[in-house]
Amino acid sequence: LNELATSGRRRGVAARGALRLVADGRGQRSTDEHVADRATLLDALAQLPPRQRTCVVLRFYERLSVTETATAMSVSEGTVKSTTARGLTALRELLGEESR
């Protein structure tokens, strides 16, 4: 029964993942577009103040938790949260996206 339940969950997860890929248009853009997006994002990151840039990179590129980021930067978790929020807001403005 456990194996049957596990295989059912795996199929469900795979199906949901496939739907997400189709729904968000992945795989429909050229490599040049991806490279241009990456360059644009790196330019925007370079314009952030160092502390904001560090928070955003540790949280979203290195995929560290708030606690891990706070430890790495020797700051409080609240500082990581607020600095990350300010960094994301600044990135959205630099990239011309609407605030969410």
Side-chain angles (χ1 to χ4, degrees):
L1 286 175
N2 285 338
E3 288 180 30
L4 180 62
T6 299
S7 67
R9 278 192 298 270
R10 285 186 185 140
R11 281 194 304 271
V13 168
R16 284 190 301 274
L19 285 175
R20 272 191 229 113
L21 290 176
V22 171
D24 70 4
R26 289 185 201 174
Q28 297 176 1
R29 298 176 58 214
S30 71
T31 302
D32 291 340
E33 290 173 316
H34 286 288
V35 170
D37 287 348
R38 180 178 169 83
T40 301
L41 181 59
L42 291 174
D43 288 342
L45 278 169
Q47 294 178 49
L48 293 179
R51 192 175 198 171
Q52 288 179 9
R53 182 174 50 246
T54 301
C55 277
V56 170
V57 168
L58 289 176
R59 291 283 291 125
F60 298 104
Y61 281 93
E62 296 296 326
R63 297 179 187 231
L64 296 183
S65 68
V66 171
T67 304
E68 292 169 330
T69 302
T71 301
M73 294 180 65
S74 300
V75 297
S76 71
E77 291 182 20
T79 299
V80 170
K81 291 176 187 178
S82 62
T83 305
T84 301
R86 283 193 303 272
L88 290 175
T89 299
L91 273 179
R92 286 185 187 112
E93 289 174 9
L94 289 167
L95 296 172
E97 296 180 8
E98 295 179 9
S99 295
R100 297 174 193 202

